[in-house]
Amino acid sequence: MSSTAALMPLAARGARPLAGRVRVPGDKSISHRALILGALAVGRTTVTGLLEGEDVLATAQAMRLLGATVTRTGPGAWTVEGVGVGGFAAPPETLDFGNSGTGCRLVMGAVAGSPVTAMFDGDASLRRRPMRRILDPILKMGATVVQSTEGDRLPVMLAGARDPLPIEYTTPVPSAQVKSAVLLAGLSAPGHTVVIESEATRDHTEKMLAHFGADVTVVPDGPHGRRITLVGQPELHGADVVVPADPSSAAFPLVAALLVPGSDVILDNVMTNPLRTGLITTLREMGASIEEVARREDGGEAMADLRVRASDLVGVEVPPDRAPAMIDEYPVLAVAAAFATGRTVMRGLKELRVKESDRLAATADLLRVNGVTVTIDGDDMIVEGLGAGRGLPPGGGLVASHMDHRIAMSALVMGLASEKPVSVDDAAFIATSFPGFVETMRGLGADIG
Ligand code: S3P
């Protein structure tokens, strides 16, 4: 995995207008879930458009080690022969999730419902991330931690429950990973497993469970929340999953097209699930021209082609309750904010501190080394946009990526539109979520190398 590879520096510089039509790789959240649910189903699952990034490939390998047959049949085309709910085998070696919190945490939930013991590990970034939020509910369901590192960090050896118990669980932080881990463990429990979240988070697990034959009910709970009820011990059947393009990856060419004057770009088949489109909402409030050209739906997920044209942006206030719908997009939004006229205030960003890096600090540093004024006030980030009439952000900085793909891509987007080039110390982690990023951007006319 990239953690052992040599550093891969890269720089981006001001370019001619970006133009053309591209399809960014498949959605990471849906790709992980398709492999995991395929492994827990009986019969064959076929997946098309799977993201073949390092994070998802690590989940594919984990499913193999747990007994499923996972086969690549062509580019993005995969099949999974599952072992059935509760049917995982004891893995003969450590499950190594590399850089991927989603893969690790969802599989912890799935393993909690099988009577097997598995060792979970990852790279230096993943070893720093909190696992207590997953262990708390799955221990209540009957799993046990055989061994862990101080502070419940990886590596963790987990023993799944022989007779898992259903629970009603209120998530302490808005996290689709926590919600999904509880639901995946709940598949093996009798009766009803209930998750209550005070802020709705991405609902791909709920939707995909229904697609594979589970009985899942979702009702509103409070002003922004949801109550999700899963009927345990379903017979999941194999299913066909078509993975749309990842809106969190589309965010990078999208913001680049807004910032590089004269650009006009179409992004094909981007997932537009409303729990993922907070960035588009915010950028439109800032004055961005983003048009949904052809709307459609597949497997319960909405998607559209997005036409994006260069736009003059203005600063806005982003409310904290929008964070779950754009949690991965703040670094690139902060870059857009640096080019906007006036101040952008992003509130309620606490969860950014526990992503692949401390993304709140890494994003602020990214902007500061490129001459932009940023303040972090508690959990809020305030960016002073330069905008029309005050010149462009100077750029010229070397950004530390901190093993974080989204920091690296955000820095390169900034370089495409600032006065001077922007460099990143290590672009290797981009391959975790967006293989072909540099080629895709170059195809639109970007100067990255
Ligand atoms: C994800 C949930 C989010 C997000 C991550 C993918 C998922 O994490 O940041 O990139 O697929 O469930 P949290 O659940 O920690 O918010």
Side-chain angles (χ1 to χ4, degrees):
M1 294 244 156
S2 313
S3 51
T4 52
L7 290 187
M8 200 179 114
L10 214 53
R13 51 197 69 74
R16 57 183 189 277
L18 303 180
R21 180 166 204 137
V22 287
R23 188 193 161 122
V24 305
D27 186 70
K28 183 152 71 71
S29 296
I30 294 199
S31 296
H32 284 296
R33 287 160 172 80
L35 294 171
I36 297 167
L37 288 188
L40 290 171
V42 173
R44 171 173 295 204
T45 288
T46 62
V47 189
T48 50
L50 188 90
L51 167 62
E52 294 175 330
E54 289 170 2
D55 280 11
V56 173
L57 297 180
T59 292
Q61 180 59 10
M63 292 303 104
R64 286 190 187 109
L65 290 170
L66 288 161
T69 305
V70 183
T71 315
R72 184 178 193 260
T73 57
W78 291 63
T79 61
V80 186
E81 306 280 348
V83 295
V85 167
F88 281 154
E93 53 187 85
T94 296
L95 307 179
D96 181 354
F97 290 93
N99 196 245
S100 178
T102 307
C104 180
R105 291 175 172 146
L106 267 56
V107 175
M108 280 183 164
V111 164
S114 277
V116 296
T117 297
M119 187 69 149
F120 290 76
D121 205 356
D123 67 13
S125 154
L126 192 53
R127 282 181 170 201
R128 282 192 290 267
R129 298 179 67 184
M131 294 298 154
R132 183 36 60 192
R133 54 180 58 195
I134 301 295
L135 299 177
D136 273 340
I138 65 176
L139 295 193
K140 285 190 181 33
M141 300 175 87
T144 47
V145 173
V146 181
Q147 183 189 319
S148 73
T149 311
E150 209 188 311
D152 301 307
R153 301 297 207 256
L154 295 183
V156 167
M157 190 185 280
L158 188 69
R162 204 156 285 279
D163 296 303
L165 299 168
I167 56 169
E168 176 169 313
Y169 193 67
T170 301
T171 54
V173 283
S175 166
Q177 294 175 0
V178 174
K179 168 176 64 180
S180 301
V182 175
L183 293 173
L184 291 170
L187 283 171
S188 308
H192 291 180
T193 291
V194 178
V195 181
I196 300 158
E197 49 182 8
S198 59
E199 306 271 349
T201 62
R202 64 190 71 193
D203 56 0
H204 309 306
T205 302
E206 299 90 300
K207 285 187 161 155
M208 206 183 285
L209 278 167
H211 186 57
F212 278 74
D215 182 348
V216 188
T217 322
V218 183
V219 293
D221 192 274
H224 306 291
R226 289 184 172 183
R227 178 186 177 92
I228 302 116
T229 305
L230 168 75
V231 180
Q233 300 179 335
E235 176 96 349
L236 296 184
H237 54 72
D240 293 339
V241 180
V242 178
V243 185
D246 193 329
S248 299
S249 296
F252 301 103
L254 190 157
V255 169
L258 290 174
L259 300 183
V260 178
S263 298
D264 189 347
V265 164
I266 295 182
L267 301 164
D268 275 336
N269 219 34
V270 180
M271 195 218 298
T272 52
N273 179 321
L275 293 167
R276 296 288 298 281
T277 49
L279 176 72
I280 294 178
T281 306
T282 304
L283 288 169
R284 282 185 175 143
E285 288 172 3
M286 295 172 83
S289 169
I290 306 168
E291 210 184 316
E292 288 178 30
V293 181
R295 294 204 189 107
R296 51 200 175 273
E297 213 183 285
D298 206 318
E301 295 289 1
M303 57 204 84
D305 299 340
L306 302 180
R307 180 170 183 195
V308 186
R309 277 172 277 196
S311 308
D312 290 333
L313 303 178
V314 293
V316 291
E317 281 238 2
V318 190
D321 58 22
R322 197 175 293 159
M326 54 179 298
I327 193 65
D328 293 333
E329 280 66 78
Y330 284 101
V332 79
L333 174 66
V335 168
F339 290 81
T341 302
R343 167 178 293 187
T344 293
V345 183
M346 295 163 245
R347 298 205 188 276
L349 308 187
K350 189 166 180 219
E351 276 296 298
L352 287 194
R353 295 189 194 277
V354 291
K355 294 295 176 188
E356 286 82 331
S357 64
D358 174 347
R359 256 186 206 158
L360 198 47
T363 302
D365 289 346
L366 182 174
L367 294 180
R368 284 187 192 125
V369 296
N370 288 297
V372 180
T373 304
V374 191
T375 318
I376 293 179
D377 179 12
D379 297 331
D380 302 340
M381 178 161 54
I382 301 142
V383 176
E384 308 295 341
L386 283 155
R390 292 175 60 199
L392 291 171
L398 170 62
V399 173
S401 68
H402 297 285
M403 302 178 78
D404 189 330
H405 53 135
R406 301 200 200 282
I407 295 297
M409 288 186 277
S410 300
L412 294 170
V413 167
M414 176 149 203
L416 295 177
S418 14
E419 260 172 39
K420 292 195 278 292
V422 171
S423 312
V424 59
D425 64 345
D426 189 9
F429 286 86
I430 293 174
T432 61
S433 70
F434 197 156
F437 168 76
V438 173
E439 295 73 17
T440 299
M441 296 303 292
R442 282 189 192 141
L444 293 171
D447 185 354
I448 302 181

